[in-house]
Amino acid sequence: MHKLKFLPVALLSLMLTACQPKGLVNGEVQAPEFPWDRTYDEVIADLEKAGADYSSTDDWIEIQDTKIFGLDARKVELSFGDGQLAAVVGDLSVDEETGLKEIRAALGEPKDEFRQIMYQSEEEAPLAYEGEPCDDYCWAGTNTLADNLPEEIKEGFRHLFIGDYEEAQLVDREDTTEDGGRAWYGASSVDAVFTNPSSICLYDLSRDEVILQRYDLIFQSMVEGFM
């Protein structure tokens, strides 16, 4: 763990937000203070320069008393994969109205409904299906896994997910889940999974947290672990 003396939040916020556009950036949702293109080493260097109060391990940084979306946060946690920022969690110290107002100002209106495409190996056929609607406010990037994943990762997932099925089990078929969501059986289940957005932002009111994820990076790391 590494600790430095605290410097006023305003300076840290100014340092991290300089020249960062609001809203979608290259098709991804992101917090202006913590853009996805910042590497672990760059963030550490900026925090050292600012004299910020933070803790860190090899793939994780926790910043105390900072800002995210311009909102006061008791802490912000950054998670990295291979040195690249993959997830941001902000523990907010503001009320719902204020939090929602500022996140809307940055990302626009949240989605009316968001269902992540889940997947599982069934005995009869591979299955992808829409999960339960998200209870939190949700924003999603316009890029998808299909857009962002390298071809070798997409082919690796395809092999891992459907490679052991017989040809007859890979015939495409669509159905409906018990709660009205869509379901895909067969080879098309892979393509359905790849329609998931590559980045999402959730505002969890029950925990006063704003959560951002680069799902494409997390997904890629998962696939690489099995290849």
Side-chain angles (χ1 to χ4, degrees):
M1 294 290 186
H2 185 66
K3 286 280 189 177
L4 291 178
K5 292 183 179 179
F6 174 73
L7 198 70
V9 165
L11 178 56
L12 175 61
S13 178
L14 178 62
M15 174 192 71
L16 292 172
T17 58
C19 301
Q20 294 299 324
K22 292 183 177 181
L24 294 182
V25 179
N26 297 323
E28 311 294 354
V29 290
Q30 69 177 26
E33 297 90 342
F34 303 102
W36 295 120
D37 61 0
R38 301 296 284 168
T39 66
Y40 177 90
D41 290 339
E42 289 172 337
V43 173
I44 289 291
D46 285 344
L47 294 171
E48 292 270 4
K49 184 177 180 180
D53 182 9
Y54 77 96
S55 303
S56 65
T57 64
D58 290 341
D59 58 2
W60 169 86
I61 301 171
E62 180 182 287
I63 309 167
Q64 301 293 329
D65 298 315
T66 185
K67 285 184 179 289
I68 183 169
F69 290 109
L71 300 164
D72 291 333
R74 289 176 283 268
K75 64 179 180 180
V76 169
E77 296 183 58
L78 311 178
S79 298
F80 296 80
D82 294 327
Q84 187 171 359
L85 184 59
V88 180
V89 179
D91 181 10
L92 301 179
S93 54
V94 299
D95 60 76
E96 174 185 349
E97 181 178 357
T98 301
L100 191 56
K101 176 183 177 182
E102 294 305 317
I103 299 174
R104 273 182 167 141
L107 301 181
E109 290 299 313
K111 298 179 73 66
D112 292 334
E113 180 181 85
F114 176 71
R115 292 173 177 253
Q116 187 172 15
I117 307 298
M118 317 297 287
Y119 58 92
Q120 62 188 53
S121 298
E122 295 286 318
E123 184 176 351
E124 61 175 303
L127 166 66
Y129 61 96
E130 291 183 324
E132 295 182 358
C134 180
D135 291 333
D136 305 317
Y137 290 106
C138 178
W139 294 259
T142 55
N143 290 343
T144 65
L145 295 186
D147 296 323
N148 286 18
L149 291 176
E151 286 302 318
E152 61 268 24
I153 296 299
K154 287 189 280 190
E155 287 306 311
F157 176 73
R158 188 180 301 274
H159 175 73
L160 290 167
F161 187 37
I162 69 173
D164 292 334
Y165 285 96
E166 301 292 335
E167 184 175 349
Q169 296 174 295
L170 297 179
V171 175
D172 294 338
R173 176 170 64 88
E174 287 196 27
D175 205 340
T176 304
T177 63
E178 291 182 357
D179 65 352
R182 298 174 67 189
W184 300 262
Y185 292 88
S188 63
S189 60
V190 175
D191 295 325
V193 172
F194 290 157
T195 64
N196 275 308
S198 57
S199 58
I200 59 173
C201 175
L202 303 175
Y203 184 20
D204 185 345
L205 299 178
S206 66
R207 302 181 63 177
D208 294 326
E209 285 185 344
V210 58
I211 303 162
L212 297 103
Q213 290 185 340
R214 278 294 298 270
Y215 184 50
D216 57 339
L217 301 180
I218 296 170
F219 189 91
Q220 179 172 338
S221 179
M222 180 274 296
V223 173
E224 289 174 337
F226 287 97
M227 291 176 64

